[in-house]
């Protein structure tokens, strides 16, 4: 399947080269990077639900899923959703309510090239223990690559990612 290579990490997991491997009976598109497996919910617009190791260790998890995209994309489209999240790199567990909007269709310049992409701006209102706050992120989805090619999060840079190479076999 398709191969997406990110500069440093994908959804906080430090692994660069992700290859689409399978569509399982549970309704998930599965991508693999080394011994890591990302599960994207087909029924929920291919949004990420979890990343686990071959041994089943959870590296990142979102229930029911991370509501970062909603097809079909078009200017002005809005969506959102509540979810719980977990990341193993810091052990954080949080609750959030995300609100996203497609704000532009523009060219984004990356190491992998220039792509026409939908600009998606999201606000996550989150609660982590006794703390709460907001984080703002911008993602670019390229129809040509059929994937998010860049994410920029102003408060939590561990979520930033950028496509540096791809193959759509």
């Amino acid at each position: 399947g398709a191969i997406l290579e990110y500069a440093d990490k994908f959804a906080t997991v430090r692994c660069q080269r992700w290859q689409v491997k399978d569509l399982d009976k549970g309704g998930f598109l599965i991508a693999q990077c080394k011994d890591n497996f990302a599960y994207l919910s087909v029924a929920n617009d291919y949004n990420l639900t979890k990343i686990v190791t071959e041994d089943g260790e959870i590296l990142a998890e979102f229930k029911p899923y991370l509501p970062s995209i909603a097809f079909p994309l078009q200017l002005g489209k809005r969506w959102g959703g509540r979810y719980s999240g977990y990341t193993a790199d810091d052990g954080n567990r949080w609750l959030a309510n995300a609100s996203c909007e497609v704000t532009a269709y523009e060219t984004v310049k990356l190491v992998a090239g220039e792509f026409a992409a939908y600009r998606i701006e999201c606000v996550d209102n989150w609660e982590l223990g006794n703390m709460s706050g907001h984080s703002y992120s911008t993602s670019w989805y390229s129809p040509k690559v059929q994937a998010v090619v860049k994410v920029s999060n102003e408060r939590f840079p561990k979520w930033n990612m950028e496509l540096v190479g791809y193959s759509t076999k």
Side-chain angles (χ1 to χ4, degrees), residues 29-55:
L29 180 72
I30 301 170
Q32 180 179 2
C33 182
K34 298 179 184 173
D35 69 342
N36 301 313
F37 297 87
Y39 288 77
L40 299 109
S41 174
V42 174
N44 295 296
D45 295 313
Y46 296 93
N47 280 296
L48 184 63
T49 60
K50 65 182 175 180
I51 301 175
V52 298
T53 66
E54 195 169 44
D55 298 332

Side-chain angles (χ1 to χ4, degrees), residues 86-93 128:
Y86 166 75
T87 47
D89 65 333
D90 55 16
N92 283 336
R93 293 183 185 278
L128 173 66

Side-chain angles (χ1 to χ4, degrees), residues 106-117:
E106 61 192 15
T107 300
V108 61
K109 296 178 183 182
L110 308 171
V111 172
E114 290 187 15
F115 301 94

Side-chain angles (χ1 to χ4, degrees), residues 90-145:
D90 55 16
N92 283 336
R93 293 183 185 278
W94 68 94
L95 297 174
N97 188 15
S99 176
C100 300
E101 180 181 2
V102 177
T103 59
Y105 189 72
E106 61 192 15
T107 300
V108 61
K109 296 178 183 182
L110 308 171
V111 172
E114 290 187 15
F115 301 94
Y118 289 97
R119 179 187 178 107
I120 302 165
E121 296 182 11
C122 296
V123 178
D124 271 56
N125 297 302
W126 51 265
E127 298 172 8
L128 173 66
N130 294 332
M131 299 184 305
S132 64
H134 314 286
S135 70
Y136 300 92
S137 63
T138 304
S139 302
W140 287 265
Y141 176 88
S142 166
K144 177 181 177 183
V145 181

